[in-house]
Amino acid sequence: MSAADPVLLVLAKAPVPGAVKTRLSPPATPEQAAEIAAASLLDTLDTVAATPAVTPVIALAGDLSTARRSAEIHRALSGWTVLEQRGSTFAERLVAAYADVGVRFPGRPLLQIGMDTPHLHWSLLDAAARRLDAGARALLGTALDGGWWALGLGDPDDARVLRTVPTSRPDTGALTRRALSEHGLRVEPLPPMSDVDTMADAVAVAATVPGGRFAAAVFDLRESWLVPLRDQA
């Protein structure tokens, strides 16, 4: 990495049982849901680490010391800049994370993802980072459920317009695009992707990356509830 590299930011929660992936329970227990979340985060950190010429940063919510796979996550974050999330809502935490990165790494474009796309390949992140480096002002990757999985801004300060955009809704992606466009930004698309909200999502995504930690965490769970979900996919 160099002083001019784009920042690649992961917005994540510490995978503490009962605090993450609550929509996976049931059928998963809170402990199993946290194990899946930890595996997803670790696969995401590996993907970011494999992306060339970016500065890796994580904005973390929660207590990593009580998380599943805590030691493994600490090792994976060696050499990263670790920020603490600030704010009471997701929109506030998102805007604050962009602001904190802007202060820490002034003048750098920023590409932000979450921990819900363990099937993401580093080449897609690399291509998006190069577009920002070449002058793109806004990139948005929508999720198939109507949200979004990635947001890139040439100037992190532009994220402030998202403070009032409602989240976790089927129109969050469209509202995010509109807020950025009304701010005067040309919003360029990234490929749409699925993310992991429900257990059916987890099973479907795990099938696309069978060699990763995420797939192992999903398919190591009890067949009593995995078999019906596979039949639904």
Side-chain angles (χ1 to χ4, degrees):
M1 70 183 69
S2 76
D5 290 334
V7 172
L8 186 42
L9 170 67
V10 179
L11 209 67
K13 285 184 178 180
V16 177
V20 293
K21 290 298 166 200
T22 55
R23 290 175 63 186
L24 301 185
S25 303
T29 66
E31 290 74 19
Q32 290 169 333
E35 186 70 21
I36 290 172
S40 182
L41 175 58
L42 284 163
D43 283 352
T44 299
L45 298 180
D46 279 354
T47 299
V48 172
T51 306
V54 296
T55 296
V57 178
I58 186 169
L60 191 65
D63 183 2
L64 195 55
S65 68
T66 61
R68 302 303 287 258
R69 301 202 189 190
S70 176
E72 193 175 353
I73 294 170
H74 273 294
R75 288 193 297 271
L77 290 174
S78 177
W80 287 55
T81 296
V82 179
L83 305 173
E84 183 177 352
Q85 289 188 27
R86 301 183 292 112
S88 58
T89 67
F90 176 78
E92 290 175 354
R93 295 192 297 272
L94 174 70
V95 172
Y98 273 74
D100 291 345
V101 169
V103 170
R104 186 72 66 93
F105 302 100
R108 308 257 208 114
L110 189 162
L111 176 66
Q112 180 257 316
I113 60 173
M115 55 186 283
D116 295 337
T117 50
H119 49 319
L120 184 60
H121 195 268
W122 68 264
S123 60
L124 183 53
L125 296 178
D126 178 57
R130 294 316 111 212
R131 288 167 67 182
L132 289 170
D133 213 18
R137 295 189 62 194
L139 305 176
L140 184 65
T142 55
L144 299 185
D145 63 1
W148 52 268
W149 65 269
L151 174 64
L153 294 176
D155 181 357
D157 185 59
D158 288 328
R160 70 184 187 277
V161 303
L162 304 180
R163 188 178 298 276
T164 59
V165 173
T167 59
S168 300
R169 292 182 9 172
D171 58 352
T172 293
L175 293 174
T176 299
R177 176 181 295 277
R178 186 171 73 183
L180 294 169
S181 296
E182 290 177 350
H183 185 57
L185 300 178
R186 178 174 179 267
V187 183
E188 302 178 23
L190 294 172
M193 291 186 67
S194 59
D195 55 11
V196 177
D197 290 320
T198 67
M199 188 57 69
D201 296 335
V203 173
V205 168
T208 68
V209 281
R213 296 184 190 86
F214 178 79
V218 171
F219 290 119
D220 278 353
L221 300 183
R222 295 177 302 166
E223 283 296 311
S224 62
W225 52 262
L226 278 178
V227 169
L229 284 168
R230 287 199 196 102
D231 294 340
Q232 295 172 20

